[in-house]
Amino acid sequence: MAAEAEQQEMLIVTGMSGAGRSTVGNALEDLGWYVVDNLPPQMLRPLVELVERAGASLPRIAAVVDIRGGDFFSELREIIQALRTGVNVRVVFLDATDTVLVRRFESVRRPHPLQGSGTLLDGIGDERARLAELREASDIVIDTTDLNIHQLANLITETFAEEGQAGLRVTMLSFGFKYGVPSDADLVADARFLPNPFWVPELRHLSGEDRAVSEFVLEQAGAREFIDAYAKALEPVLAGYQRENKRHATIAIGCTGGKHRSVAIIRELRKRIEKMPGVAVSVKDRDLGRE
């Protein structure tokens, strides 16, 4: 029984109301996870015991837990810490900006669970304050602000479908600082120390995916030194993530608009990261084509 339990996984999906918990639950179910929705936190321990008794018939289970748990929810962090002493538990926290959450609630014409006699923003603010510590302690934070339900489902599929093939799945993310720093990034680096190809007329309309832009960026003073040094610095970090059983990490590199420098550097850095043991790498360009 102990050998079976070691192979079992448990995800706790939580986060802001309206950030996409139902979509994540459905996507995990499509991947073969056994999903339990709106579970009071105090039922997590009995659920783990059920999984242990079921053995290989329930290898992966996900519990969707949210603020509707009322007073029980305040105990969630302590319960998770207790579970981690004997179970492979990870917490996925879903978040989005207040503006987007308000728009989503208004589109379905439903009140926020903590709204009471106040406004939607009152309820969102109360929930955000209650969840601040849990968000900080979560293993994976996903910002769904710019994702529709299909994009979120695809992200969950990419993250959890074939995890067993690598100890750590790394998402290399390019972005533009003028559109904001991605809140779900584990590590953020700045490529704005390099000359901007935007100011080169023949490169402006191209992107970091194009060879001409890539060569221009990588030939600049300090570019390859930065990539080599950053890759070297990431080696102990990614190895440590694996020792701590962190299964997903997002490494973000930004430039002004997320079109030239960050896109080129991400692809060059990927060549080094994917050679590291136990690491699988994917690339995403958050703001490419946004201008």
Side-chain angles (χ1 to χ4, degrees), residues 16-257:
M16 296 294 294
S17 300
R21 291 188 306 263
S22 296
T23 298
V24 171
N26 292 337
L28 289 171
E29 199 166 56
D30 291 342
L31 291 174
W33 289 71
Y34 184 82
V35 179
V36 182
D37 194 9
N38 193 21
L39 187 72
Q42 290 188 341
M43 292 298 295
L44 287 172
R45 172 59 69 181
L47 181 62
V48 169
E49 294 173 353
L50 170 64
V51 172
E52 291 174 343
R53 288 197 299 270
S57 64
L58 285 178
R60 300 192 297 178
I61 190 164
V64 182
V65 182
D66 58 55
I67 205 69
R68 289 174 294 174
D71 293 338
F72 290 144
F73 193 83
S74 63
E75 304 175 28
L76 178 57
R77 187 174 179 185
E78 289 73 21
I79 293 172
I80 292 171
Q81 290 175 341
L83 289 175
R84 279 177 166 160
T85 60
V87 181
N88 181 14
V89 179
R90 286 177 293 158
V91 180
V92 178
F93 190 100
L94 303 176
D95 203 353
T97 63
D98 290 359
T99 301
V100 167
L101 293 176
V102 167
R103 185 166 67 243
R104 290 174 183 173
F105 273 104
E106 289 179 339
S107 69
V108 296
R109 299 183 180 181
R110 295 182 61 188
H112 188 279
L114 297 182
Q115 182 175 343
S117 58
T119 66
L120 268 172
L121 281 174
D122 291 335
I124 291 170
D126 187 7
E127 183 179 31
R128 196 175 293 284
R130 296 190 192 189
L131 298 183
E133 290 187 5
L134 180 60
R135 186 188 191 281
E136 184 67 24
S138 296
D139 300 286
I140 301 174
V141 177
I142 299 175
D143 186 347
T144 69
T145 297
D146 297 317
L147 302 178
N148 60 38
I149 58 175
H150 305 293
Q151 292 169 328
L152 177 55
N154 288 338
L155 176 61
I156 294 301
T157 299
E158 293 172 2
T159 302
F160 295 104
E162 299 177 355
E163 282 191 322
Q165 296 182 4
L168 177 67
R169 295 181 63 86
V170 174
T171 299
M172 308 289 296
L173 179 70
S174 72
F175 72 95
F177 277 98
K178 71 178 182 179
Y179 301 115
V181 177
S183 62
D184 54 347
D186 296 284
L187 300 163
V188 177
D190 188 349
R192 292 175 296 181
F193 69 94
L194 297 170
N196 193 347
F198 178 85
W199 302 113
V200 180
E202 59 268 27
L203 300 180
R204 180 175 300 180
H205 68 286
L206 302 175
S207 78
E209 292 182 299
D210 295 296
R211 182 174 180 179
V213 173
S214 178
E215 290 180 346
F216 175 88
V217 171
L218 297 177
E219 288 172 359
Q220 299 304 312
R224 292 191 182 276
E225 290 86 347
F226 164 75
I227 294 170
D228 291 341
Y230 196 40
K232 186 70 173 178
L234 286 172
E235 287 183 10
V237 175
L238 300 184
Y241 281 168
Q242 294 184 68
R243 289 194 300 271
E244 293 300 313
N245 202 32
K246 183 176 177 65
R247 302 291 294 276
H248 184 273
T250 298
I251 299 172
I253 295 182
C255 57
T256 302

